[in-house]
Amino acid sequence: MSAMNIATMNIATKELDKHYDLVIMGGGLAGLTLALQVRQRNPDLSILVLERRPQAAPEAAHKVGESTVELGMYYLSDVLSLRDYLEEVHLQKQGLRYFFTPQHELELANRVEFGAKNNLPIHSYQLDRGRLENDLVQHISALRVTTLLGASVKKVNIVDDGLHQVSFVEKGKLQSVSGRWVVDATGRGSLLKRHLGFEKSLDHNINAVWFRLRGEVDVDDWSEQTSWKEKVKPGFRRLATVHLMGQGYWVWLIPLGTGSTSVGIVADPRYHDINTYNSFEKALEWMADHEPIAAKQLALRHDDLMDFRMLKHYAHDCGRFFSHKRWGVTGDAGAFLDPLYSPGTDFIAFSNTFLTDLILRDHSQEQIDERVFLYEQTYIELFQRWLTLYQDKYTLFGNTQITVAKILWDTANYWAVPVPMFCNGVYTNQDLIQVLFATPDCIGKKFSRLNEQVQAFFLGWYELDNGDSYSLQRMFIEPLSLTYLYNLHVEMEHQYSEPVLIEKLAENLRILEEIAAALFALVFNRFKGTPIDMPIDPYTMSIAQSKQELLAAANGQGSFVARDVIAKEVGQMWFYTVADAGHKKQDSHSQTNDQPHVNSYEAESV
Ligand SMILES: Cc1cc2nc3c(=O)[nH]c(=O)nc-3n(C[C@H](O)[C@H](O)[C@H](O)COP(=O)(O)OP(=O)(O)OC[C@H]3O[C@@H](n4cnc5c(N)ncnc54)[C@H](O)[C@@H]3O)c2cc1C
């Protein structure tokens, strides 16, 4: 697949057949990539994509979903073999970059910055969604997927034992086709979900606005301080997804391969009323209060404004995802969580991979009932596990210490288990899923329990920590300078044999347990007065426990002390001054140091 000239875009207008093996309703990212994935696995299936948009999508000002992370990137570049195309047309993304400590709002160089200094060993892409969808339409059409633009689906009739009927209007004419399989990829239209009554609300109420600006926006230009600029390769900050973090919100800056820049505000209404930022002018006023440097810089770009969009309460869930009656939902038509960490494409990768597997097995006359059940449960479990990363967590974003710990945890968690599992085809390997998820103490269940425990821990920590015990500035946190994170990063796409993969996942889970134990030990030490070297059971200990309860639990069978190598690296991201922490023994770098503290601790007998 190579870049297409939109002006020459010409979708086949041949007569439609009356019947298709697969009818995909909606030709956005989810629908188009599903068509491609199924087609690549089986060139014989007849596939029809019905897309409401009547003409080529505009470049830049089209949709959100521009930033990808590793799992979704692996899906696009390796599973769908689009790597060369992505390299040619879209931008290499250099990770996620965060600016914390909004109290230094008047000088970006004074904020705590978190991000890469140099090229990441594994990079993902920043996508121009309009360009991508146009190119995908061309690509699948060349692979004999019938793609009809300007076709608005009106009705689906699910027939349990026969062919489903899909009615749509194209050029004012009502038409109908039948499909052995029907997949809803209509995004927030959620046609099938509404039709079958599977709507499900989600207790995660966050709002977003976004706009695109013509031309580049480079945060390197937002400060005059040469020493700060020189910390990172020139032009490199811009290639990341930049996040400006403050209590209850984050602001994104995403560069697009077609030369424009996407900007968004995502905020919890408990802290920021959407009516205070729901137009470009109001968004600038809101930024003037919370992110004044951004406000000043973006106001200069008023004439470059291409669009302005908003979405209230974007998170939503779905009661069912796949059925043995040969229907399914994918992408936003099913469920959506939150754009922080860009998981949208990851979830498209999951649902499309499950659906492709089911469709192809059904095509080769295999019984799919058991797999449908297994895949749906796995998808629901993934969604619920991911939800804990976001639910109630916008509260934390003004507390730099907790948010840094959380981002490091969330990143390690993601690279340690779900990414290697996806890259090694685990999710459609029934035997491996059984091994990894079926028993109470299996890796998958422990991984979920541990994450739930740590996510609850962050909220409990926040209750105890008013965040004013340290005053950080000019700190640069390079996450891949942490060995545990670097190793997880470079290994996440490795291909393993099944037994080695199971060992690897167990080893990664052990690393996560140690990170959790080391972090708990620091926090308990500071807020509960327990010894810094106290053994920790990260699966059972909770910040709600008293000092006595924690000390008693430290003698439990599951308690252990994290290895020095991990404890030391977790300690590097601990920002409290020595004077604040009763048990730390050394090293009080000034708070204006450019490097994080490296503290070490001495034991206190229990
Ligand atoms: C604020 C915000 C920021 C986000 N940022 C990111 C990010 O950085 N990275 C990321 O990975 N994800 C991100 N996401 C999520 C991402 O936008 C979605 O996961 C992704 O766009 C979903 O793609 P889709 O194909 O399911 O839906 P869509 O892209 O909406 O496609 C649905 C298609 O169906 C068509 N359609 C609708 N109704 C009908 C009908 N009746 N008949 C025929 N066609 C129809 C529409 O025209 C459309 O083209 C973000 C989401 C939000 C809310």
Side-chain angles (χ1 to χ4, degrees):
M1 179 171 164
S2 61
M4 300 287 165
N5 179 350
I6 291 176
T8 67
M9 193 157 130
N10 177 25
I11 307 309
T13 51
K14 74 171 181 88
E15 278 286 295
L16 287 188
D17 294 332
K18 286 280 165 232
H19 170 75
Y20 290 86
D21 294 315
L22 168 62
V23 178
I24 299 174
M25 306 180 292
L29 184 62
L32 295 170
T33 49
L34 176 65
L36 178 58
Q37 192 172 2
V38 173
R39 164 56 74 245
Q40 285 175 338
R41 299 297 177 282
N42 187 326
D44 299 328
L45 256 79
S46 54
I47 306 172
L48 172 66
V49 178
L50 298 169
E51 165 54 41
R52 185 172 56 192
R53 171 169 52 78
Q55 70 284 320
E59 292 199 342
H62 183 42
K63 289 178 183 164
V64 274
E66 296 146 326
S67 167
T68 58
V69 281
E70 291 80 7
L71 194 152
M73 181 274 299
Y74 183 86
Y75 174 68
L76 295 175
S77 52
D78 288 72
V79 176
L80 299 181
S81 307
L82 297 176
R83 188 180 293 278
D84 291 346
Y85 161 76
L86 294 168
E87 284 291 331
E88 186 190 339
V89 176
H90 299 273
L91 277 185
Q92 271 193 11
K93 170 181 160 182
Q94 296 297 343
L96 301 171
R97 183 170 297 280
Y98 301 87
F99 290 93
F100 301 102
T101 48
Q103 63 270 27
H104 303 302
E105 75 272 23
L106 297 176
E107 174 51 69
L108 193 64
N110 286 348
R111 288 176 77 161
V112 171
E113 182 177 359
F114 178 114
K117 287 187 173 174
N118 283 302
N119 282 30
L120 294 171
I122 296 177
H123 62 256
S124 51
Y125 298 93
Q126 308 284 24
L127 306 173
D128 183 311
R129 281 288 298 268
R131 173 68 79 91
L132 179 65
E133 286 183 17
N134 291 334
D135 291 343
L136 279 171
V137 167
Q138 288 287 352
H139 187 45
I140 60 172
S141 300
L143 295 173
R144 293 179 300 103
V145 170
T146 309
T147 311
L148 199 60
L149 295 187
S152 182
V153 178
K154 298 296 173 198
K155 199 170 162 211
V156 194
N157 193 9
I158 298 293
V159 180
D160 284 3
D161 297 320
L163 302 176
H164 308 310
Q165 298 296 318
V166 179
S167 308
F168 61 94
V169 170
E170 191 230 354
K171 294 190 183 135
K173 195 170 134 208
L174 185 65
Q175 304 184 51
S176 176
V177 289
S178 64
R180 178 165 173 80
W181 274 84
V182 171
V183 174
D184 184 6
T186 57
R188 281 166 190 277
S190 298
L191 208 108
L192 208 49
K193 179 162 94 173
R194 285 189 287 114
H195 180 71
L196 298 175
F198 292 131
E199 294 116 315
K200 202 170 161 195
S201 62
L202 195 61
D203 181 18
H204 180 56
N205 181 16
I206 309 289
N207 304 318
V209 302
W210 60 92
F211 50 95
R212 261 63 61 133
L213 295 172
R214 242 169 253 107
E216 292 179 2
V217 175
D218 188 348
V219 289
D220 264 355
D221 302 332
W222 291 9
S223 172
E224 294 302 317
Q225 294 191 17
T226 321
S227 62
W228 173 77
K229 285 177 197 275
E230 286 174 353
K231 278 182 194 162
V232 176
K233 227 166 73 167
F236 194 72
R237 283 188 172 97
R238 185 183 73 85
L239 293 173
T241 296
V242 170
H243 303 69
L244 308 174
M245 310 291 289
Q247 188 166 35
Y249 75 86
W250 56 283
V251 172
W252 85 63
L253 296 168
I254 301 175
L256 303 177
T258 40
S260 308
T261 304
S262 170
V263 184
I265 301 172
V266 190
D268 185 330
R270 286 176 290 191
Y271 298 93
H272 305 277
D273 180 351
I274 191 166
N275 295 314
T276 60
Y277 59 92
N278 60 1
S279 68
F280 183 62
E281 284 68 27
K282 284 197 210 170
L284 290 183
E285 280 170 29
W286 179 91
M287 282 190 205
D289 286 341
H290 302 283
E291 293 290 346
I293 306 167
K296 191 169 145 211
Q297 294 288 336
L298 298 177
L300 301 172
R301 306 292 294 275
H302 204 289
D303 293 346
D304 295 327
L305 186 65
M306 300 173 79
D307 65 345
F308 189 94
R309 309 276 172 92
M310 93 178 85
L311 196 53
K312 281 189 189 173
H313 191 22
Y314 49 62
H316 59 105
D317 199 355
C318 186
R320 291 289 314 274
F321 292 90
F322 320 120
S323 168
H324 66 280
K325 293 178 183 167
R326 293 164 283 99
W327 60 259
V329 296
T330 184
D332 273 7
F336 177 72
L337 279 171
D338 196 287
L340 184 73
Y341 306 138
S342 315
T345 311
D346 292 2
F347 275 86
I348 289 174
F350 285 130
S351 49
N352 280 359
T353 300
F354 286 134
L355 279 166
T356 301
D357 189 73
L358 293 173
I359 291 165
L360 296 186
R361 284 178 193 278
D362 174 63
H363 185 68
S364 34
Q365 322 260 311
E366 205 181 299
Q367 275 294 334
I368 57 167
D369 306 36
E370 217 180 287
R371 277 185 188 267
V372 166
F373 179 76
L374 188 69
Y375 292 174
E376 189 169 75
Q377 292 311 306
T378 308
Y379 189 83
I380 290 170
E381 166 131 4
L382 285 166
F383 188 79
Q384 291 303 324
R385 187 196 301 157
W386 244 270
L387 176 62
T388 63
L389 269 62
Y390 304 112
Q391 213 166 28
D392 296 324
K393 304 299 185 304
Y394 277 59
T395 298
L396 309 177
F397 296 165
N399 183 312
T400 301
Q401 170 69 84
I402 299 177
T403 309
V404 166
K406 174 171 162 55
I407 290 172
L408 287 167
W409 169 261
D410 293 343
T411 308
N413 216 38
Y414 176 64
W415 290 347
V417 178
V419 181
M421 278 179 63
F422 184 79
C423 297
N424 282 274
V426 170
Y427 291 104
T428 48
N429 182 327
Q430 215 169 357
D431 297 337
L432 268 183
I433 293 194
Q434 297 288 354
V435 172
L436 293 167
F437 287 96
T439 57
D441 261 345
C442 62
I443 294 173
K445 289 246 162 59
K446 285 181 87 174
F447 173 68
S448 296
R449 282 210 308 275
L450 181 65
N451 182 47
E452 261 171 43
Q453 189 79 0
V454 176
Q455 298 297 342
F457 174 84
F458 289 129
L459 292 176
W461 177 3
Y462 181 78
E463 292 298 311
L464 300 176
D465 183 348
N466 57 15
D468 62 2
S469 309
Y470 48 82
S471 64
L472 304 170
Q473 59 174 332
R474 297 188 65 75
M475 184 183 275
F476 194 103
I477 299 170
E478 195 177 11
L480 289 197
S481 68
L482 302 172
T483 318
Y484 74 79
L485 210 52
Y486 179 85
N487 290 340
L488 292 173
H489 177 88
V490 294
E491 288 172 359
M492 72 183 132
E493 290 184 352
H494 281 190
Q495 302 295 303
Y496 301 101
S497 66
E498 285 185 13
V500 178
L501 176 69
I502 293 170
E503 271 173 37
K504 188 73 208 167
L505 293 172
E507 191 185 301
N508 287 355
L509 178 63
R510 184 68 194 160
I511 292 170
L512 294 175
E513 289 167 348
E514 295 199 66
I515 297 168
L519 187 63
F520 283 25
L522 285 168
V523 176
F524 290 158
N525 168 253
R526 179 174 177 83
F527 294 102
K528 302 282 176 169
T530 54
I532 193 65
D533 61 349
M534 183 178 81
I536 300 286
D537 181 346
Y539 289 97
T540 58
M541 283 182 172
S542 143
I543 203 152
Q545 289 173 296
S546 67
K547 180 176 181 180
Q548 272 58 43
E549 287 168 329
L550 290 169
L551 290 173
N555 297 318
Q557 252 193 346
S559 296
F560 64 94
V561 176
R563 275 175 298 161
D564 266 4
V565 58
I566 301 267
K568 187 166 165 259
E569 291 199 332
V570 172
Q572 280 179 12
M573 299 296 150
W574 187 248
F575 306 140
Y576 300 96
T577 56
V578 171
D580 289 330
H583 309 287
K584 297 177 193 172
K585 76 169 180 194
Q586 91 161 33
D587 202 343
S588 61
H589 287 282
S590 127
Q591 289 296 325
T592 55
N593 258 4
D594 280 353
Q595 293 301 320
H597 300 285
V598 181
N599 291 320
S600 65
Y601 306 90
E602 77 185 350
E604 182 194 79
S605 55
V606 182

